[in-house]
Amino acid sequence: MIDESGPRSSVSARSRGSLASLLGAGCRLRPVHRETDYNLLSACPGANPVICWILLAMLCAMWLPSSAVASTPRLNSITPRGVKLDGEYTLKFSGERLNDAEEIFFYDSGITVVSIEPIDANNINVKVNVAADCRVGEHVAQVRTRNGISDYRSVFVGRLPEVAETEPNNELSESQKIDMNVTVTGIVDNEDIDYFCIEGKKGDRVSVEVEAIRLGFLFDPAIALLDKNRFEIAVSDDTPLTKQDSFFSVLLPEDGEYFITIRESSFVGNGNSQYRLHVGNFPRPAAVYPAGGKPGDKTTLQFIDAYTEGETIRAVSKDVDLPEVEGFRGGIFYADESGVSPTPMPFRLTDLENHLEIEPNNNFEEMTPLTLPVAINGVISEPGDIDYFKFTAKQGQVWDVECYSRRIGSGLDAVINIFDGSKKHLVGDDDARRPDSYIRFQAPADGDYYVRVYDHLRRGQPDFVYRLELTSAEPALTLGINRIDRYSQQRQTIAVPQGGRFAVLMSATRKNFGGEINLLGDNLPPGIKLIAQPMNSNLNEMPVVFEADEAAPLGGALVDFRGQYKLDETRSITGSFSNSADFVLGPPNNAVYYACTVDKLAFAVIEKLPFKLEIVQPSVPMVRDGEMSVKIIAHRDEGFDEQINLQFPFRSPGVGTTYQVVMPKGQSEAAYPLNANGSAQVGKWPMYVIGTSNFKGPAWSSSQLAELEIAEPFVTTEITRMSIEPGESTQMICKLNQLKPFEGEATAEILGIPAEIMIDSPKKFTKDTQELVFNVQTNEKSPIGKHGGLFCRITITQNGEPIISRAGNALLQINKPKPPKPPVTSTTETSAVANPVLGAEALPNPN
């Protein structure tokens, strides 16, 4: 089914999906590209769903307070969105509070900053030099100012000359003439179609690929190639390889002019619908087989064109030198005599041995068992195709079976199953990796096993490539910073003020191991010091405080920030920082369409802030079922009296608090309330507060890393149940369980008392007291019913500070008074009443 003899004849590379295929009333989604599952919108009767989404996003932006989403500084965009290799360019960085920019962090080599020129408070021009050997593709940048680090955004580097779209080009008759092998940069507006005219000869290859949603905008492009009679030669919308972006590669059927069109798939473009349209004779395969290999190896790969039903697929075999390292976003480029593909093919670099599928393997036939670990590579090449592979495992061995299909740009929706040697089904999976599949398999006995691969809908075609990696469960560690805002990168960097502190909650993802983790902090910028305790083995986050010297120079760096778990004196598990930002969100429910992950943590020493925060170290513990007020002091510079909003981000297990405490304008002290439940984990825990105030925009400062001790309570109580009627009194018997001795007197106070009930509380007691008696008095207005909200609060003072606990609950039942019994009357009395004229003395003697 695969013809390697040469180019295929003219074809239509259709993609049937769109972001929203119909407009107006009753609009419904039709399925997206037949090779994918990328359903992007739910039905939106009566209105265009994309327009609804844009309006909703605008309203959300208006509702959100600026202090909640802003950071100092902020980077929103870099324009132009792309540049060419080997040249000098001026990029405009736009955002907020950028005018004191001092440095641009690029996460990869090849782009050098020549100069930074402020335009105004929110925009700067950055002159860069792009090297001839710069990596082609997406490059990530951040701005370091004197007051902070911005969000990170990206800019693209390409091989082809850049050509700007020229309006008007909205009709075929107005189409813009372009040369082959260029990158066109433009914008699609509402109900806009951009036309470009090229010339070609019969048999020429024309490849077109668009970068749109990858530029960071909610823009779902559709592209097409028309002949002079407006007949479609090729059409593409969503594809498995480029997701919402699209591409095609075809051979021209005759000499003459051809027209390339680009539009928003639902005709709802806007000023943010920017694109980079690569047009040329370059190759643009849809898949590569195998989709993985060993770093640095020379190997033979098959590059497969996009498949169109009913036509012979073209595949070209080529010897390729694989890269030594994966690099940003990974992947490999395909090059031939006509050029290089504009964007890379996803490709796995691992140390695994490759096994290539050998047909026929559609059932449990005899085959040589594979030795694990191994990477199995195959293609579900036609409808109904099923692939089987045999492997050997020993009892108790644990293997991770990881299927890569969608993650390598294939349209296959893989399902995997494992069988034992007798062909009995053991375990299966579909979509554990959404939508790729994964199984953790433990061999129940020594012997042979089978793994089966097929498409969920029993589809198949020659570019349905997959890679099945069977590896032992190896330990791994990844560090991160917990998001505090779903839609921004706020506080995902480390900006430490001179002479001050900054703190974050550092997260750790442990894979296949457990234990304490230590942060290394051995490569921080000059003047910055890390303060952190080891992360407890049962936690996945830890508070980390960074301090900067008063004399620390302003500056910064991108740091390979690492953590470590020591197995023993000679072995350890080390992991690095990773952070992901959502570049494009969209319907439904703010789904992530395009994200960007970086592997370094941005650090900076920034200008001194006019306030510092301090926790007054408690000299007593907080006990289980207890509470505590932690005193916070703000050391303000003279003249700085702005309000400071305080947060308490880290809570040890079982500890709770409020989201925020406000230190009012002009004040320098606040109390932060904490509480511990009855199962709070006993021990000594780190704690800090972080505060934000208005200083050239939102400015963040942290306290020192203080200590909070959680301890068992000194006393608990058992309170007898009480039942009385309104107006009555009773006694509340409170038995004291003395768990730990204490010095001096303690106080027991009954709280939660309903209205119209009096209890003679509080009462004093000592470590020797066994019982307390509280007098309870009700009145006629006391509320009827069960009152279970009463509890005993114990306060013990040590080192001049209170230790407060909720020591026991009480139940008070107030019953409704019973009605009085009716009086008992005698027969004589009844007769007297019945014969009032006779009088009592006239009644006959009953005897």
Side-chain angles (χ1 to χ4, degrees):
M1 296 188 66
I2 295 180
D3 175 19
E4 296 192 24
S5 60
R8 58 186 172 92
S9 58
S10 111
V11 298
S12 173
R14 288 189 181 272
S15 169
R16 300 175 182 173
S18 65
L19 184 61
S21 60
L22 297 175
L23 302 173
C27 92
R28 297 181 58 195
L29 283 183
R30 55 191 172 122
V32 293
H33 194 283
R34 61 179 174 266
E35 301 171 352
T36 74
D37 288 340
Y38 304 116
N39 286 312
L40 306 182
L41 290 169
S42 56
C44 185
N48 180 271
V50 176
I51 294 176
C52 291
W53 168 252
I54 294 170
L55 291 174
L56 178 60
M58 292 171 63
L59 288 171
C60 290
M62 289 188 289
W63 290 335
L64 288 172
S66 61
S67 62
V69 298
S71 61
T72 305
R74 187 160 194 190
L75 177 61
N76 297 329
S77 66
I78 303 173
T79 53
R81 298 299 297 120
V83 294
K84 182 180 176 294
L85 290 172
D86 195 18
E88 190 168 274
Y89 308 93
T90 298
L91 303 175
K92 183 180 178 182
F93 286 54
S94 300
E96 300 171 25
R97 298 175 290 278
L98 298 176
N99 56 317
D100 61 346
E102 291 194 333
E103 187 177 7
I104 308 297
F105 293 149
F106 277 100
Y107 280 75
D108 207 346
S109 59
I111 301 179
T112 305
V113 176
V114 178
S115 64
I116 302 173
E117 296 290 338
I119 301 172
D120 54 37
N122 300 322
N123 299 276
I124 56 175
N125 280 334
V126 179
K127 186 177 289 187
V128 299
N129 184 279
V130 181
D133 61 351
C134 180
R135 176 182 55 80
V136 170
E138 188 176 11
H139 285 254
V140 177
Q142 271 176 299
V143 181
R144 180 188 66 79
T145 73
R146 298 178 64 85
N147 294 287
I149 305 171
S150 75
D151 315 67
Y152 60 80
R153 296 287 181 236
S154 64
V155 64
F156 288 74
V157 174
R159 292 185 175 87
L160 302 178
E162 307 255 337
V163 175
E165 173 208 3
T166 302
E167 294 281 1
N169 66 337
N170 302 333
E171 300 289 343
L172 188 138
S173 59
E174 300 175 329
S175 60
Q176 178 182 345
K177 288 196 172 184
I178 59 173
D179 294 328
M180 292 291 283
N181 298 307
V182 298
T183 295
V184 183
T185 61
I187 297 176
V188 170
D189 288 316
N190 189 39
E191 299 185 355
D192 184 16
I193 303 176
D194 288 347
Y195 288 81
F196 301 96
C197 178
I198 59 172
E199 291 190 3
K201 295 187 178 296
K202 182 178 180 179
D204 284 353
R205 174 167 294 281
V206 174
S207 298
V208 178
E209 180 178 351
V210 60
E211 291 171 315
I213 206 162
R214 286 174 284 182
L215 301 185
F217 306 107
L218 186 61
F219 172 27
D220 182 23
I223 57 175
L225 180 68
L226 313 178
D227 66 15
K228 62 184 178 181
N229 298 315
R230 293 180 180 262
F231 286 104
E232 293 178 346
I233 306 299
V235 178
S236 181
D237 191 346
D238 306 324
T239 73
L241 179 64
T242 56
K243 307 298 188 292
Q244 283 73 42
D245 289 344
S246 45
F247 71 90
F248 56 74
S249 184
V250 297
L251 301 180
L252 297 181
E254 59 183 29
D255 295 358
E257 288 187 333
Y258 291 85
F259 301 91
I260 298 166
T261 68
I262 179 170
R263 61 178 173 85
E264 205 285 329
S265 62
S266 297
F267 295 93
V268 289
N270 57 66
N272 284 328
S273 298
Q274 300 185 38
Y275 60 83
R276 285 167 52 80
L277 188 70
H278 308 290
V279 180
N281 308 116
F282 51 79
R284 176 62 278 181
V288 60
Y289 176 80
K294 292 184 177 182
D297 269 11
K298 185 168 186 174
T299 188
T300 300
L301 301 178
Q302 211 175 52
F303 293 91
I304 306 169
D305 270 5
Y307 173 70
T308 300
E309 188 174 352
E311 299 188 8
T312 302
I313 196 165
R314 175 179 178 268
V316 177
S317 293
K318 186 177 180 63
D319 290 338
V320 176
D321 292 321
L322 299 182
E324 295 285 350
V325 295
E326 189 169 12
F328 180 73
R329 292 201 188 276
I332 58 173
F333 291 89
Y334 175 47
D336 62 15
E337 66 282 354
S338 61
V340 184
S341 57
T343 59
M345 309 288 298
F347 194 84
R348 296 276 301 161
L349 281 180
T350 73
D351 292 325
L352 297 172
E353 294 290 339
N354 264 355
H355 172 78
L356 304 185
E357 171 191 11
I358 301 174
E359 294 281 7
N361 64 336
N362 295 346
N363 51 43
F364 293 102
E365 292 183 350
E366 283 300 316
M367 59 185 75
T368 303
L370 300 174
T371 301
L372 305 187
V374 70
I376 298 171
N377 299 271
V379 182
I380 300 299
S381 57
E382 58 187 21
D385 189 10
I386 300 176
D387 289 347
Y388 287 84
F389 303 91
K390 183 190 284 189
F391 64 91
T392 301
K394 293 187 176 297
Q395 182 178 10
Q397 285 183 333
V398 177
W399 297 99
D400 284 339
V401 183
E402 189 87 57
C403 184
Y404 292 88
S405 53
R406 292 296 176 83
R407 288 175 287 179
I408 56 173
S410 171
L412 177 69
D413 183 6
V415 179
I416 57 176
N417 302 90
I418 294 178
F419 303 81
D420 66 14
S422 65
K423 305 175 182 59
K424 176 185 175 183
H425 183 260
L426 300 179
V427 64
D429 179 67
D430 178 19
D431 292 352
R433 299 299 195 211
R434 297 186 181 181
D436 285 351
S437 299
Y438 163 80
I439 293 172
R440 172 157 288 186
F441 169 67
Q442 184 171 9
D446 293 358
D448 291 338
Y449 296 87
Y450 295 88
V451 59
R452 181 178 69 185
V453 184
Y454 63 94
D455 182 77
H456 177 73
L457 298 177
R458 302 300 196 275
R459 303 169 305 154
Q461 57 191 51
D463 56 357
F464 272 17
V465 172
Y466 64 87
R467 179 175 172 87
L468 202 61
E469 295 184 0
L470 287 78
T471 59
S472 58
E474 296 294 330
L477 170 65
T478 303
L479 301 179
I481 296 176
N482 289 341
R483 286 193 187 185
I484 62 165
D485 188 336
R486 172 68 174 81
Y487 306 113
S488 82
Q489 300 172 39
Q490 186 180 182
R491 285 162 51 194
Q492 301 291 296
T493 60
I494 309 300
V496 191
Q498 291 172 318
R501 306 182 189 93
F502 184 78
V504 294
L505 271 183
M506 189 70 65
S507 64
T509 302
R510 301 175 181 88
K511 184 178 179 182
N512 302 321
F513 79 97
E516 278 192 350
I517 295 172
N518 289 280
L519 298 181
L520 300 182
D522 52 357
N523 52 352
L524 303 183
I528 296 181
K529 180 172 64 174
L530 177 150
I531 302 171
Q533 296 181 10
M535 181 186 293
N536 199 292
S537 60
N538 69 327
L539 298 182
N540 58 9
E541 62 183 18
M542 71 172 85
V544 184
V545 172
F546 298 91
E547 292 185 350
D549 300 335
E550 289 275 2
L554 298 183
L558 297 175
V559 173
D560 179 16
F561 192 75
R562 294 168 296 154
Q564 186 179 79
Y565 168 67
K566 281 197 133 186
L567 294 165
D568 52 40
E569 292 302 318
T570 59
R571 298 180 305 150
S572 63
I573 299 167
T574 301
S576 293
F577 175 83
S578 178
N579 185 38
S580 181
D582 302 333
F583 275 10
V584 182
L585 298 167
N589 303 319
N590 281 328
V592 179
Y593 286 73
Y594 191 67
C596 180
T597 300
V598 295
D599 59 1
K600 293 182 178 64
L601 180 55
F603 279 81
V605 176
I606 63 174
E607 287 184 342
K608 181 180 181 295
L609 296 180
F611 69 100
K612 296 179 183 178
L613 298 176
E614 178 190 356
I615 291 179
V616 177
Q617 175 63 51
S619 61
V620 296
M622 180 167 64
V623 298
R624 285 178 163 178
D625 275 325
E627 60 185 71
M628 173 184 285
S629 288
V630 177
K631 185 177 180 180
I632 313 298
I633 297 176
H635 301 281
R636 299 174 180 266
D637 286 358
E638 185 175 352
F640 181 79
D641 64 351
E642 293 288 333
Q643 173 180 302
I644 302 174
N645 299 319
L646 303 171
Q647 295 177 13
F648 195 94
F650 178 71
R651 298 97 187 260
S652 60
V655 171
T657 186
T658 184
Y659 165 72
Q660 180 173 276
V661 168
V662 174
M663 185 179 292
K665 181 173 179 150
Q667 295 188 19
S668 296
E669 292 186 5
Y672 218 109
L674 307 180
N675 60 78
N677 64 32
S679 58
Q681 189 168 337
V682 171
K684 295 182 178 180
W685 300 92
M687 67 173 172
Y688 72 98
V689 293
I690 191 164
T692 181
S693 190
N694 182 24
F695 177 69
K696 302 179 183 179
W700 294 90
S701 179
S702 165
S703 72
Q704 84 281 21
L705 200 63
E707 185 177 84
L708 175 65
E709 182 181 0
I710 305 299
E712 295 286 359
F714 288 80
V715 180
T716 62
T717 66
E718 298 175 27
I719 303 175
T720 57
R721 177 172 176 168
M722 299 159 285
S723 180
I724 56 175
E725 294 182 1
E728 293 181 347
S729 63
T730 188
Q731 289 184 328
M732 179 186 291
I733 310 299
C734 183
K735 180 185 176 183
L736 300 180
N737 300 316
Q738 301 275 3
L739 305 179
K740 295 188 298 185
F742 58 89
E743 297 296 327
E745 286 189 324
T747 302
E749 183 178 8
I750 305 301
L751 300 178
I753 304 171
E756 304 296 334
I757 297 174
M758 300 290 292
I759 299 179
D760 60 340
S761 166
K763 289 185 178 293
K764 299 288 187 181
F765 67 95
T766 70
K767 62 182 176 60
D768 299 317
T769 307
Q770 299 299 311
E771 184 178 276
L772 294 173
V773 178
F774 296 90
N775 295 315
V776 180
Q777 179 65 54
T778 63
N779 60 39
E780 299 300 328
K781 296 181 180 179
S782 297
I784 304 298
K786 290 183 179 180
H787 302 286
L790 288 81
F791 64 95
C792 180
R793 183 173 71 178
I794 302 293
T795 303
I796 298 172
T797 301
Q798 287 190 344
N799 302 322
E801 296 182 19
I803 302 172
I804 302 172
S805 63
R806 180 169 176 157
N809 299 322
L811 177 63
L812 173 61
Q813 172 86 37
I814 300 181
N815 300 310
K816 184 177 180 180
K818 295 179 181 178
K821 295 181 179 179
V824 178
T825 56
S826 65
T827 305
T828 304
E829 293 170 338
T830 303
S831 300
V833 172
N835 301 281
V837 177
L838 297 176
E841 64 277 11
L843 292 175
N845 190 335
N847 296 321

PDB file of all heavy atoms in Angstrom, residues 267 564 714:
ATOM      1  N   PHE A 267     -15.429  32.007   9.208  1.00  0.00           N
ATOM      2  CA  PHE A 267     -15.501  33.375   8.701  1.00  0.00           C
ATOM      3  C   PHE A 267     -15.646  34.408   9.814  1.00  0.00           C
ATOM      4  O   PHE A 267     -16.275  35.439   9.630  1.00  0.00           O
ATOM      5  CB  PHE A 267     -16.660  33.529   7.699  1.00  0.00           C
ATOM      6  CG  PHE A 267     -16.484  32.716   6.451  1.00  0.00           C
ATOM      7  CD1 PHE A 267     -17.026  31.443   6.357  1.00  0.00           C
ATOM      8  CD2 PHE A 267     -15.767  33.212   5.378  1.00  0.00           C
ATOM      9  CE1 PHE A 267     -16.864  30.679   5.212  1.00  0.00           C
ATOM     10  CE2 PHE A 267     -15.599  32.458   4.221  1.00  0.00           C
ATOM     11  CZ  PHE A 267     -16.151  31.188   4.136  1.00  0.00           C
ATOM     12  N   GLN A 564      16.305  16.888  44.674  1.00  0.00           N
ATOM     13  CA  GLN A 564      16.973  15.591  44.756  1.00  0.00           C
ATOM     14  C   GLN A 564      16.396  14.748  45.888  1.00  0.00           C
ATOM     15  O   GLN A 564      16.070  15.251  46.952  1.00  0.00           O
ATOM     16  CB  GLN A 564      18.474  15.806  44.976  1.00  0.00           C
ATOM     17  CG  GLN A 564      19.320  14.556  44.933  1.00  0.00           C
ATOM     18  CD  GLN A 564      20.788  14.886  45.127  1.00  0.00           C
ATOM     19  OE1 GLN A 564      21.233  15.101  46.261  1.00  0.00           O
ATOM     20  NE2 GLN A 564      21.539  14.948  44.033  1.00  0.00           N
ATOM     21  N   PHE A 714      -3.609  19.586  75.336  1.00  0.00           N
ATOM     22  CA  PHE A 714      -3.321  19.319  76.742  1.00  0.00           C
ATOM     23  C   PHE A 714      -4.509  18.659  77.433  1.00  0.00           C
ATOM     24  O   PHE A 714      -4.336  17.789  78.286  1.00  0.00           O
ATOM     25  CB  PHE A 714      -2.983  20.632  77.469  1.00  0.00           C
ATOM     26  CG  PHE A 714      -1.646  21.195  77.115  1.00  0.00           C
ATOM     27  CD1 PHE A 714      -1.466  21.921  75.953  1.00  0.00           C
ATOM     28  CD2 PHE A 714      -0.547  20.999  77.937  1.00  0.00           C
ATOM     29  CE1 PHE A 714      -0.235  22.447  75.618  1.00  0.00           C
ATOM     30  CE2 PHE A 714       0.693  21.519  77.611  1.00  0.00           C
ATOM     31  CZ  PHE A 714       0.850  22.249  76.446  1.00  0.00           C
TER      32      PHE A 714
END
